[in-house]
Amino acid sequence: MPVQDLEKIFQQKIDEEIKIEPKDWMPDAYRKTNLRQISQHAHSEVVGMLPEGNWITRAPSLKRKLILLAKVQDEGGHGLYLYSAAETLGMSREEMINDLHSGKAKYSSIFNYPTLTWADIGAIGWLVDGAAIMNQVMLTRTSYGAYARAMVRICKEESFHQRQGFEILLVLSRGSKEQKEMCQDAINRWWWPSLMMFGPKDSESTNSDQSMKWKIKRKSNDELRQNFIDMIAEQIKTLGMKLPDDKLKWNEERKHYDFGEINWDEFWQVVKGNGPCNKQRLDARREAWENGEWVRDAAAAYAKKRAARQKDKAA
Amino acid sequence: MSALIDYTLHLADNSLILGQRNGEWCGHGPILEQDIAITNISLDLIGQARSLYQYAAVLINDSELSVSSKASSPLERRFGGEVSEDSLAYLRTEREFKNCLLVEQSNGDWAQTILRQFLFSSYQYYLYQYLQTNTDTTIAAIAEKSLKEVSYHLRWSSEWVIRLGDGTGESHGRMLKAIDELWRYTGEFFIPADYEKELKIDGASLKYEWSKKIKTVFDEATLTVPPDIFMQEGGKQGRHTEQLGYILTELQYMQRAYPGCEW
């Protein structure tokens, strides 16, 4: 069948909301875009374990320590589902990891910011997971089946994480003067980076049109960002804290909050590798991988020996 | 009563400190699946520690000692009232922790972490089996509930000891180094502290089963059980290695820096 016809059938399926599955024909660019996006998402989960993992040993109560451990463990699990989903598009996990370590593959820039105080763990849950959920809820309906199904599982856990994060901040906001300051400081530092998580403005976003047509994405960056701002601007009232934006104001006409200008220079600097922790995060991942090499080799060597012994026994 | 409190704290401290150590791996494991597994073990251990600290807190708060002369107990004096799972974990000092020396040893490489887990889980497995029939029903219930988790820790760590011991030349060498590092801390399991003697907890009776288990797994891993060597002890009585102070510094930082806050 000529490619044009295959493309037509493919687009028809998309338009009829039929999921694309690994064995289906798909345009190369569709495969590549999904692979890039899913592997980037997987890397984000794994790199995202680091800033929060940073507080596991120092969590302020046993209950908080347990919740945080469970949360970071969930993120590792999300990384696993997503690597598996990406593998269905024809790239091995090891190749993807190599691309991460070489800097070829990206991960969410938000994880290049440091977790300086305990309140950052709350702010990450509330704002960062909150922003991620906006995107992920949309992705439960993405056109590539394996990705959509992974997202359904992930979304359930993420919304739980977001509530836990908010609850950390709620306790701080009702605590001592120092705790309140810690809470406000974390919100001040995480607010703008979390808005940047939705990516460049629609007018500057290069991949968006095609992704919308293929229903990889269903909402634009600006739309998702606005939904997030509207949600958080309401939720913060419960905390009695302030978002660090003087221009933030309800617009009755638009039925949305207006907000100030995002510092896009900072956004591009962090994307380029100049965020406060880009180097540390990648170094930590590479180091874990390199230090683990002998372990992976040993496991492989043992599995081989065992298989050979079982074969001998059977013979 | 004070022996039961001490013993409960001893069990809790074992689980907390090993859970804390394993938690250091989170995000840095050699394979994502194993990163998740070690974090999971950490979760189980800290969960056990919480149940045990909660029980110890009840015992302390209810004890006549605390009612009649609150100020006479250093624990009470420091906590200024009710003792809780968190005050026990976060406000006691190095000399008050009663964990075995083994669990506070550093993670080292994956071989050392695995061996530490295996040596301890195999001990904890037989200990909890033994404690299931303890006359103290709370201890018995916690032991019974934890045993399921510990069985998994034991299976997981045994499999890794075998994989590394019988894997490559390098992994075998690293296991030997880990044994050299850690074996000296296993003798303490079977030497009863005063509070164990008082409660008639016969830890020495577990040594036979424990040794048999170690030998079975080491044999399969092509590793040799070391000959009798000098064993370090003291953890159960609060005499620790230099490692514990640093663990507590990190663990207790928030509660020390912001005393009396809710989190």
Side-chain angles (χ1 to χ4, degrees):
Chain A
M1 202 183 288
V3 173
Q4 295 93 311
D5 291 352
L6 289 168
E7 267 173 13
K8 217 171 128 195
I9 297 169
F10 173 81
Q11 189 62 49
Q12 217 163 17
K13 265 194 196 162
I14 301 252
D15 294 341
E16 286 167 20
E17 300 290 337
I18 298 169
K19 294 281 180 241
I20 305 302
E21 297 300 337
K23 293 210 167 90
D24 295 347
W25 184 90
M26 62 186 88
D28 269 353
Y30 178 85
R31 181 184 299 276
K32 263 183 153 159
T33 304
N34 265 295
L35 188 55
R36 180 175 51 80
Q37 196 174 322
I38 303 171
S39 64
Q40 188 170 316
H41 194 161
H43 298 325
S44 300
E45 296 283 356
V46 173
V47 177
M49 294 168 81
L50 297 169
E52 290 177 281
N54 184 37
W55 276 89
I56 286 174
T57 56
R58 291 176 293 168
S61 72
L62 293 178
K63 186 178 141 202
R64 292 290 176 206
K65 194 189 285 288
L66 271 189
I67 293 174
L68 183 57
L69 270 166
K71 183 188 173 193
V72 182
Q73 188 195 28
D74 281 349
E75 275 151 19
H78 298 170
L80 280 183
Y81 316 150
L82 287 164
Y83 281 126
S84 303
E87 280 183 322
T88 62
L89 291 161
M91 193 188 227
S92 72
R93 200 207 299 183
E94 191 157 351
E95 283 175 274
M96 291 183 243
I97 290 174
N98 286 336
D99 284 351
L100 171 69
H101 294 172
S102 72
K104 188 177 160 201
K106 298 281 177 222
Y107 56 89
S108 177
S109 276
I110 193 78
F111 301 118
N112 292 317
Y113 289 86
T115 48
L116 301 178
T117 71
W118 170 251
D120 290 24
I121 300 305
I124 289 186
W126 180 43
L127 296 174
V128 174
D129 291 338
I133 291 169
M134 305 301 294
N135 200 29
Q136 288 167 348
V137 166
M138 167 187 80
L139 289 171
T140 59
R141 292 167 54 238
T142 193
S143 58
Y144 189 58
Y147 195 20
R149 287 186 292 273
M151 289 325 301
V152 172
R153 286 179 73 176
I154 290 173
C155 274
K156 281 186 197 145
E157 292 178 349
E158 288 292 354
S159 56
F160 193 58
H161 295 166
Q162 200 210 0
R163 279 206 300 278
Q164 288 168 341
F166 185 75
E167 209 255 330
I168 288 177
L169 295 183
L170 191 62
V171 171
L172 296 179
S173 74
R174 293 174 182 178
S176 69
K177 183 170 164 283
E178 282 165 311
Q179 286 176 304
K180 285 181 183 143
E181 283 168 7
M182 194 188 283
C183 182
Q184 183 63 59
D185 169 60
I187 293 169
N188 293 349
R189 282 181 292 109
W190 289 94
W191 172 245
W192 292 105
S194 67
L195 294 188
M196 296 176 197
M197 285 174 70
F198 297 96
K201 279 189 200 171
D202 293 348
S203 53
E204 322 254 316
S205 179
T206 45
N207 300 317
S208 281
D209 284 353
Q210 185 64 65
S211 287
M212 292 283 245
K213 188 172 164 231
W214 280 336
K215 295 187 183 168
I216 296 174
K217 282 175 79 153
R218 287 170 180 267
K219 285 182 178 178
S220 77
N221 295 355
D222 286 337
E223 222 178 327
L224 289 167
R225 185 165 20 239
Q226 182 70 61
N227 291 346
F228 175 69
I229 291 168
D230 292 347
M231 176 179 87
I232 297 296
E234 287 302 313
Q235 288 178 354
I236 198 162
K237 292 177 185 167
T238 314
L239 294 178
M241 297 281 146
K242 278 187 75 167
L243 292 171
D245 180 358
D246 295 339
K247 300 216 171 79
L248 190 84
K249 206 175 148 224
W250 177 253
N251 182 326
E252 187 55 38
E253 212 170 298
R254 289 202 311 127
K255 299 280 177 213
H256 285 297
Y257 277 88
D258 291 337
F259 57 97
E261 187 60 21
I262 292 170
N263 182 349
W264 293 109
D265 285 343
E266 176 182 327
F267 172 80
W268 289 113
Q269 283 301 335
V270 182
V271 169
K272 273 187 234 156
N274 298 323
C277 297
N278 291 60
K279 182 174 182 325
Q280 290 91 322
R281 300 294 183 239
L282 259 190
D283 284 351
R285 286 314 312 159
R286 283 193 202 115
E287 204 174 300
W289 187 251
E290 282 160 17
N291 290 343
E293 192 174 1
W294 71 268
V295 179
R296 296 188 299 275
D297 289 349
Y302 177 75
K304 217 169 147 186
K305 280 189 206 175
R306 204 179 133 109
R309 275 179 219 145
Q310 272 166 351
K311 210 173 151 195
D312 282 352
K313 241 192 229 168
Chain B
M1 183 53 80
S2 117
L4 181 58
I5 293 170
D6 283 348
Y7 187 63
T8 308
L9 288 173
H10 156 69
L11 294 176
D13 293 345
N14 275 342
S15 294
L16 175 64
I17 299 299
L18 187 54
Q20 173 83 358
R21 276 297 195 207
N22 285 343
E24 293 171 18
W25 272 104
C26 192
H28 306 275
I31 312 167
L32 190 49
E33 284 82 346
Q34 302 313 325
D35 202 309
I36 294 171
I38 192 93
T39 305
N40 200 39
I41 293 176
S42 186
L43 270 170
D44 288 344
L45 288 168
I46 292 169
Q48 290 171 19
R50 282 188 76 191
S51 307
L52 290 159
Y53 284 132
Q54 283 163 11
Y55 181 47
V58 169
L59 293 173
I60 293 166
N61 292 328
D62 289 355
S63 70
E64 290 202 31
L65 180 88
S66 72
V67 175
S68 63
S69 57
K70 265 199 160 45
S72 72
S73 151
L75 229 56
E76 291 282 348
R77 224 174 15 246
R78 197 147 4 101
F79 305 150
E82 290 274 287
V83 169
S84 68
E85 59 174 78
D86 284 329
S87 61
L88 290 170
Y90 287 86
L91 297 176
R92 281 180 306 139
T93 62
E94 291 92 325
R95 301 282 278 114
E96 291 168 308
F97 269 74
K98 293 171 177 57
N99 58 280
C100 295
L101 299 175
L102 178 75
V103 297
E104 69 200 37
Q105 299 312 305
S106 62
N107 286 346
D109 60 7
W110 188 247
Q112 189 163 319
T113 293
I114 288 296
L115 184 72
R116 184 184 62 198
Q117 191 64 47
F118 170 63
L119 295 174
F120 185 74
S121 291
S122 47
Y123 165 66
Q124 210 183 28
Y125 177 78
Y126 294 111
L127 178 65
Y128 282 174
Q129 256 187 359
Y130 169 77
L131 289 177
Q132 280 188 105
T133 55
N134 196 269
T135 48
D136 185 286
T137 51
T138 309
I139 293 284
I142 295 172
E144 189 186 345
K145 185 174 165 280
S146 307
L147 200 54
K148 277 188 213 124
E149 298 165 353
V150 177
S151 307
Y152 164 72
H153 306 168
L154 178 56
R155 195 172 69 235
W156 179 84
S157 57
S158 303
E159 284 168 4
W160 270 105
V161 166
I162 294 164
R163 225 172 259 143
L164 297 180
D166 192 19
T168 60
E170 176 171 8
S171 67
H172 185 83
R174 284 175 185 261
M175 283 307 288
L176 293 180
K177 193 170 160 278
I179 294 170
D180 183 48
E181 194 71 40
L182 297 179
W183 189 256
R184 72 193 71 203
Y185 300 113
T186 57
E188 185 185 26
F189 297 160
F190 311 106
I191 303 168
D194 294 344
Y195 47 85
E196 287 173 293
K197 282 183 202 154
E198 200 180 320
L199 296 171
K200 300 194 167 38
I201 304 270
D202 184 11
S205 70
L206 309 173
K207 192 172 179 179
Y208 175 75
E209 292 277 16
W210 179 83
S211 305
K212 212 167 78 178
K213 177 74 189 174
I214 302 296
K215 184 162 183 339
T216 310
V217 172
F218 273 21
D219 279 351
E220 203 180 333
T222 69
L223 296 166
T224 315
V225 176
D228 281 343
I229 59 163
F230 186 84
M231 290 288 179
Q232 298 295 327
E233 58 170 309
K236 288 178 176 182
Q237 283 90 7
R239 289 192 317 277
H240 291 275
T241 58
E242 289 177 348
Q243 310 243 18
L244 185 70
Y246 292 96
I247 297 176
L248 297 185
T249 303
E250 214 169 314
L251 177 90
Q252 299 181 338
Y253 156 66
M254 290 294 289
Q255 294 271 356
R256 301 281 185 189
Y258 305 96
C261 290
E262 290 288 319
W263 301 97

